[in-house]
Amino acid sequence: MLTLTPAQSAPAGSTASSSAADALMVMEPETDQHLAVLRVPVQVDDANIAYLQDALWVERPARLFRSLLAETLRAEGGRLVLEDSEASVPVAGNRLSGRLIAMGYDARSGSVVVRYDAIRTGPKGDVQTRRFESVVPGVAPVPAQVGPALNKAANDVAAQVAEWMAG
């Protein structure tokens, strides 16, 4: 089974606190139905999707990606980062939401692709959007290669998002 492991992580014992207005809430990204399952999608051509044989996620890809984003942002430090599953916490003033468009294997190019449209909403309602993407080429369509490549691409996108959020 496949999972995502953060390349950057907040050190043990680190703490963060802030007002609700300064906190960042990372929302689970929306996805199309082909990413709302535990299977790894394979883009066969422009109109057809299959699934990689013998490869399953431990959890829905959108949830794994949200956790990876949140942990990467925590590792950057400087602000309290919450995940939308932490419902008992008051709503944060800053939100990172978006749509996970691709997180799978592209058979046409022999590569893994992670594509995320991010939406940053500030405490005063100001909104910014940006598309992030990472492609890892030269990957064979087998779980032993696709899994690590997906982890690498997802971490690359998470690092890009963290840099954007810091700016």
Side-chain angles (χ1 to χ4, degrees):
M1 296 192 78
L2 305 175
T3 192
L4 298 177
T5 306
Q8 301 177 53
S9 191
S14 63
T15 62
S17 63
S18 71
S19 68
D22 293 330
L24 172 64
M25 180 70 72
V26 179
M27 309 300 291
E28 184 174 323
E30 295 180 17
T31 62
D32 288 335
Q33 190 60 36
H34 76 280
L35 283 174
V37 296
L38 297 180
R39 299 168 75 190
V40 177
V42 175
Q43 190 74 45
V44 178
D45 56 37
D46 289 343
N48 292 292
I49 293 174
Y51 289 98
L52 188 62
Q53 189 172 357
D54 299 325
L56 294 172
W57 291 108
V58 297
E59 196 168 7
R60 287 190 333 266
R63 187 167 290 184
L64 290 170
F65 188 69
R66 179 208 53 206
S67 295
L68 180 75
L69 273 173
E71 188 58 30
T72 302
L73 289 159
R74 279 185 202 104
E76 294 291 316
R79 79 166 18 160
L80 177 62
V81 178
L82 306 168
E83 296 178 44
D84 62 346
S85 60
E86 297 168 317
S88 63
V89 177
V91 175
N94 298 283
R95 289 175 32 134
L96 174 62
S97 59
R99 183 168 195 77
L100 186 59
I101 299 167
M103 194 159 113
Y105 185 76
D106 187 331
R108 299 166 294 189
S109 63
S111 60
V112 160
V113 178
V114 175
R115 187 175 303 118
Y116 174 62
D117 279 349
I119 303 169
R120 175 169 61 184
T121 307
K124 296 178 182 173
D126 50 317
V127 177
Q128 294 179 328
T129 65
R130 185 167 173 187
R131 176 168 286 180
F132 299 92
E133 180 177 274
S134 181
V135 177
V136 178
V139 179
V142 294
Q145 288 192 26
V146 170
L150 281 168
N151 193 61
K152 179 180 179 180
N155 271 285
D156 183 36
V157 169
Q160 292 174 42
V161 171
E163 185 177 322
W164 178 59
M165 294 297 291

